[in-house]
């Protein structure tokens, strides 16, 4: 008997040592490392599928990025004695007043220049500056670039691309024939660093001031090329972005263009249609879009700005959504998403929400595959792209995600989803169901010093769509 006890003791000690070895090592991992490993595992737990092909429209431009102070000096513009925020720029005096308002505060702004001749004259000068650099601009161009370059997918771009943009776009990206136009639409981006001096003014933060006279995208002219291109390319997914460009238009033009887009989308064949809403500031435009388009698309991509604007229109948590938008609690976002999927459920079966610190994808069960893997992939893309780094380390990243969260705002009934749960970095993906809707939530490892923020939302949405294949309409 004694020998038996000794054997059992030896076995117990052996397992205790193994446990110390394993869990001792385990204890050395930081939350960032555990989360990164967990997200990578989740992203790879993908059911194998043929990569979908895409047609992406409709906004594209060339971003001409220059030093703000270098351009202002070349134009002979000093800070204004009477700074004010101007909604559209008709003259150099407007530009001077508007920049004098934003520059010391370090606030990003984007303005429409009404004077075409003046805009073209400024561009000619901007092109001669030492700091001048050219980049791909416009959400459709950025999404399609990400799909072919980073993800190796097949994509056709339907958007106006002039000679300069054609050179900048990746060779593998197919351009719809109508998309090759004679003139580039240029967006001027004036960048400045924190504490940079412009005359007597000091920049409060590093930021940018953008202006353009971009008629093509403001009126969504390339819409008319969408249907022929979809017929010809027969893609699995059609992505529509650039609707936010209508913000610069009067109400009647907005209504006319949105109704035209609705007609075009209704006429498309069986491809999944994704509407990218991110970056719309005007709530009346958000209302116009959801009333006309949510019933004719399969998928929507948005952030907290647009989600709150939608919820203010008869959605849940009015007391919360009436407040200025910050990164909202998970439970609030999940409830609004469920309200939208229920309200438009006859057609809309996927919502991809992304904020700085977390993403949630909600789908109608059976309509989309790989929901958790797709959400994790998009989160990893956000981190890697912002820091331009494959490695996700503590030196470069923070994990500001809430350490305790619930998945539903308590409404008096006992509900497991409304109970607070701790966030566990070792298994960072949370999945749950409400009725016939499936959800996946992932935190985002937030880059401490972002190298690249332009096109971040576009890359996130494109990655999510690529890795969450469409299975068909309800």
């Amino acid at each position: 008997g004694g020998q038996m006890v000794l054997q059992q003791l030896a076995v117990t000690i052996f397992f205790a040592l193994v446990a110390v070895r394993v869990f001792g090592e385990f204890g050395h991992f930081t939350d960032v490392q555990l989360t990164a490993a967990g997200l990578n595992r989740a992203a790879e737990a993908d059911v194998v599928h043929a990569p979908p092909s895409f047609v992406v429209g409709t906004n594209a431009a060339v971003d001409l990025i220059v030093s703000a102070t270098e351009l202002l000096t070349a134009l002979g513009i000093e800070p204004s004695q009477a700074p004010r925020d101007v909604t559209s720029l008709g003259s150099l005096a407007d530009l001077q007043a508007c920049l004098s308002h934003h520059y010391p505060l370090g606030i990003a702004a984007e303005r429409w220049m009404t004077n075409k001749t003046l805009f073209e004259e400024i561009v000619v000068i901007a092109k001669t500056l030492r700091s001048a650099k050219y980049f791909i601009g416009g959400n459709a161009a950025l999404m399609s670039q990400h799909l072919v370059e980073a993800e190796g997918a097949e994509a056709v771009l339907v958007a106006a691309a002039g000679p300069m943009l054609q050179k900048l776009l990746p060779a593998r990206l197919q351009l719809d024939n109508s998309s090759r136009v004679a003139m580039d639409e240029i967006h001027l981006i004036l960048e400045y660093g924190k504490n940079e001096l412009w005359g007597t003014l000091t920049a409060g933060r590093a930021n940018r001031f953008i202006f353009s006279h971009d008629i093509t995208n403001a009126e969504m002219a390339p819409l008319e090329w969408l249907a022929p291109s979809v017929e010809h390319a027969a893609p699995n997914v059609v992505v529509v972005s650039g609707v936010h460009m209508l913000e610069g238009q009067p109400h009647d033009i907005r209504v006319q263009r949105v109704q035209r887009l609705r007609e075009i989308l209704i006429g498309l064949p069986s491809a999944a249609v994704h509407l990218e809403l991110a970056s719309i500031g005007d709530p009346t435009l958000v209302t116009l879009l959801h009333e006309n388009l949510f019933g004719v698309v399969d998928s929507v991509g948005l952030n907290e700005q647009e989600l709150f604007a939608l919820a203010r229109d008869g959605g849940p948590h009015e007391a919360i959504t009436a407040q200025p938008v910050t990164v909202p609690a998970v439970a609030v976002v999940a409830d609004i998403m469920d309200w939208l999927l229920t309200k438009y459920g006859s057609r809309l079966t996927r919502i991809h929400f992304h904020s700085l610190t977390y993403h949630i994808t909600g789908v109608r069960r059976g309509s989309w595959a790989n929901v958790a893997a797709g959400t994790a992939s998009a989160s990893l893309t956000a981190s890697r792209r912002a820091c331009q780094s494959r490695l996700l380390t503590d030196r470069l990243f923070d994990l500001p995600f809430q350490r305790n969260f619930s998945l539903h705002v308590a409404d008096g009934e006992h509900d497991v989803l409304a109970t607070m749960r701790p966030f566990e970095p070792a298994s960072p993906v949370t999945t749950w169901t409400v009725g016939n809707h499936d959800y996946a939530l992932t935190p985002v490892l937030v880059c401490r010093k972002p190298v690249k923020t332009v096109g971040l939302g576009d890359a996130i949405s494109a990655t999510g769509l690529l890795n969450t294949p469409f299975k068909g309409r309800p």
Side-chain angles (χ1 to χ4, degrees):
Q3 201 174 359
M4 193 71 180
V5 171
L6 277 177
Q7 266 180 335
Q8 279 177 330
L9 190 60
V11 169
T12 308
I13 289 170
F14 172 73
F15 278 113
L17 286 171
V18 169
V20 166
R21 172 111 188 96
V22 173
F23 292 103
E25 297 276 304
F26 202 59
H28 292 308
F29 289 126
T30 64
D31 283 359
V32 166
Q33 289 167 326
L34 288 171
T35 300
L39 288 173
N40 273 309
R41 268 199 316 276
E44 283 157 16
D46 192 327
V47 181
V48 180
H49 62 279
S53 58
F54 292 82
V55 165
V56 186
T58 62
N59 61 329
V62 171
D63 282 349
L64 171 50
I65 301 184
V66 295
S67 148
T69 50
E70 192 187 0
L71 179 63
L72 292 164
T73 306
L75 294 170
I77 300 181
E78 287 285 308
S80 164
Q81 297 307 304
R84 62 196 168 87
D85 193 0
V86 187
T87 50
S88 61
L89 311 172
S91 62
L92 281 180
D94 284 346
L95 179 64
Q96 176 193 34
C98 198
L99 252 167
S100 303
H101 168 77
H102 289 97
Y103 190 92
L105 301 167
I107 307 174
E110 186 164 351
R111 294 291 177 268
W112 172 256
M113 184 163 267
T114 51
N115 185 327
K116 180 178 195 273
T117 319
L118 176 63
F119 183 73
E120 286 167 359
E121 285 165 5
I122 296 173
V123 167
V124 169
I125 293 169
K127 285 179 172 175
T128 65
L129 302 178
R130 276 219 340 268
S131 60
K133 296 191 293 285
Y134 299 93
F135 290 98
I136 295 171
N139 309 79
L142 288 161
M143 275 181 114
S144 54
Q145 175 199 22
H146 180 80
L147 285 166
V148 305
E149 272 188 354
E151 309 284 352
E154 291 286 313
V156 179
L157 174 62
V158 180
M164 199 187 297
L165 183 58
Q166 290 177 37
K167 280 202 196 77
L168 289 170
L169 291 168
R172 281 199 51 240
L173 176 60
Q174 301 163 57
L175 258 183
D176 171 73
N177 283 337
S178 320
S179 297
R180 296 175 194 278
V181 296
M183 291 284 292
D184 280 286
E185 288 288 10
I186 290 181
H187 292 193
L188 259 177
I189 300 184
L190 282 52
E191 289 195 328
Y192 51 85
K194 187 179 157 82
N195 299 330
E196 192 176 328
L197 287 170
W198 169 36
T200 52
L201 295 181
T202 308
R205 285 200 307 234
N207 226 319
R208 47 190 15 207
F209 182 86
I210 304 173
F211 62 101
S212 68
H213 179 83
D214 174 354
I215 298 278
T216 310
N217 292 310
E219 293 179 351
M220 291 189 81
L223 263 190
E224 300 307 324
W225 316 331
L226 197 61
S229 178
V230 170
E231 250 161 67
H232 181 243
N236 306 105
V237 185
V238 177
V239 178
V240 178
S241 68
V243 279
H244 65 283
M245 297 295 291
L246 293 170
E247 277 192 86
Q249 299 293 323
H251 183 70
D252 55 334
I253 303 244
R254 287 180 177 188
V255 171
Q256 189 192 322
R257 296 312 284 157
V258 170
Q259 283 173 348
R260 179 68 190 122
L261 174 56
R262 180 185 163 84
E263 278 167 27
I264 290 167
L265 294 180
I266 289 172
L268 290 183
S270 63
V273 179
H274 173 82
L275 176 67
E276 189 56 33
L277 285 189
S279 75
I280 296 178
D282 181 346
T284 60
L285 180 57
V286 175
T287 302
L288 179 71
L289 292 168
H290 87 85
E291 285 177 351
N292 285 281
L293 301 179
F294 277 28
V296 296
V297 300
D298 302 287
S299 171
V300 169
L302 41 64
N303 63 24
E304 60 274 20
Q305 211 77 35
E306 296 84 43
L307 189 80
F308 271 36
L310 289 167
R312 287 185 198 118
D313 213 359
H317 309 312
E318 278 160 355
I320 300 170
T321 58
Q323 304 299 314
V325 180
T326 52
V327 175
V330 169
V332 172
V333 171
D335 285 351
I336 297 171
M337 287 174 70
D338 208 65
W339 168 70
L340 285 169
L341 283 171
T342 304
K343 181 172 176 180
Y344 293 103
S346 61
R347 174 74 191 262
L348 180 71
T349 51
R350 177 180 180 270
I351 297 174
H352 185 182
F353 167 84
H354 49 91
S355 67
L356 180 68
T357 60
Y358 66 92
H359 299 175
I360 301 178
T361 309
V363 303
R364 180 180 173 132
R365 185 165 315 115
S367 295
W368 301 78
N370 297 339
V371 179
T375 314
S377 305
S379 169
L380 290 166
T381 290
S383 308
R384 288 178 177 144
R385 191 177 164 111
C387 261
Q388 299 278 293
S389 162
R390 292 289 302 165
L391 284 176
L392 306 176
T393 62
D394 283 86
R395 199 169 54 77
L396 295 173
F397 295 91
D398 284 323
L399 181 61
F401 183 67
Q402 299 144 307
R403 286 301 188 262
N404 284 289
F405 62 97
S406 71
L407 303 170
H408 169 57
V409 178
D411 47 16
E413 294 176 33
H414 172 67
D415 185 342
V416 174
L417 293 180
T419 326
M420 287 306 251
R421 57 189 68 211
F423 170 65
E424 290 172 18
S427 49
V429 182
T430 306
T431 57
W432 71 100
T433 60
V434 179
N436 63 347
H437 302 153
D438 292 336
Y439 293 91
L441 157 76
T442 59
V444 177
L445 293 168
V446 178
C447 181
R448 289 181 177 180
K449 295 201 175 114
V451 184
K452 197 156 187 239
T453 53
V454 173
L456 197 55
D458 303 308
I460 289 167
S461 287
T463 306
L465 275 173
L466 184 72
N467 294 292
T468 317
F470 184 53
K471 288 161 75 174
R473 304 226 163 96

